[in-house]
Amino acid sequence: MTRLAAICALIEKADVIADVGCDHGRVAEYIAGHALSRKTIASDISETCLDKARARLRGYENVEFICCDGIDYECDEAVIAGMGGQTVIGIITRAKVKPHSLVICAHRNTCEVRGALIPLGYGIKADVMVEERGKFYSVIRAEKKSGITKLTELQRLFGVNCTEKSEPLKNYLLSLQSTYMLAPDRNEQKLKYVREALVFQGVPPDITN
């Protein structure tokens, strides 16, 4: 499964859905094309990116284009993808009216996103890892007053489903282990968590030691 497919698979029907930081508008196109909302918002801080989205979404009448930094409008569900975790947290924190639900795919610091969602009033409903072109991405669906609201450290680091077998997650953990083993003394605690998670992926302890 591609990152885009994983993102789209977690979007659910809502009255107003926003593609935040829409870039070329591929997510907005999916939302509008599958009639998932009465209105689709494509927003971006860059007017140039919005122009690309306008070109892609020409012919869709229920799409509104907004040039702004973050969520400077009201929506029921927001898709936030293609940016770092701290940027994602900032967008959600600054939103004038926080959406009821979120679909998030951060390029880095996803563990910090998971940790921030719960104090912001969200629970995690889904957490899927995908591998694309040698890189790993977690795609999260979060909703207000629903989902998992207490995380173990393994869940915060590697996803709420980290105890369930997943080939992309196993590959991600093995990649982390290889990186941390370059400086095992400095990464002792990180290696401990990675090895704990690998056991759930069917990697025997004698291989992780």
Side-chain angles (χ1 to χ4, degrees), residues 42-174:
S43 70
D44 202 286
I45 195 171
S46 165
E47 193 67 56
T48 300
C49 287
L50 280 180
D51 286 340
K52 296 175 184 177
R54 289 187 183 98
R56 178 181 290 274
L57 291 157
R58 187 177 293 115
Y60 290 101
E61 296 181 356
N62 66 331
V63 180
E64 181 180 356
F65 300 90
I66 301 176
C67 186
C68 66
D69 182 7
I71 305 175
D72 193 19
Y73 45 78
E74 291 189 23
C75 62
D76 301 289
E77 180 155 312
V79 182
I80 312 173
M83 54 196 80
Q86 287 299 327
T87 301
V88 171
I89 294 168
I91 287 172
I92 301 167
T93 302
R94 295 193 312 270
K96 292 181 177 179
V97 179
K98 291 179 175 51
H100 170 75
S101 52
L102 304 163
V103 176
I104 299 167
C105 182
H107 279 183
R108 57 188 174 276
N109 303 123
T110 304
C111 60
E112 295 177 20
V113 174
R114 292 190 189 98
L117 283 170
I118 292 165
L120 288 169
Y122 292 94
I124 298 175
K125 291 291 293 289
D127 197 338
V128 180
M129 179 163 285
V130 295
E131 183 176 357
E132 184 177 86
R133 299 178 183 178
K135 294 185 178 181
F136 300 92
Y137 304 91
S138 289
V139 186
I140 297 168
R141 179 176 178 83
E143 297 179 6
K144 287 182 178 178
K145 300 179 181 178
S146 183
I148 295 173
T149 57
K150 291 184 179 180
L151 301 176
T152 66
E153 186 61 9
L154 285 187
Q155 287 177 317
R156 187 187 74 86
L157 290 170
F158 310 124
V160 298
N161 303 317
C162 64
T163 59
E164 300 175 13
K165 286 190 176 181
S166 160
E167 194 66 21
L169 177 56
K170 183 175 79 171
N171 292 341
Y172 173 65
L173 291 168
L174 289 171

Side-chain angles (χ1 to χ4, degrees), residues 23-44:
D23 195 28
H24 289 75
R26 288 184 295 172
V27 171
E29 182 182 35
Y30 177 86
I31 296 165
H34 288 76
L36 295 178
S37 63
R38 176 185 60 81
K39 181 171 77 171
T40 302
I41 295 175
S43 70
D44 202 286

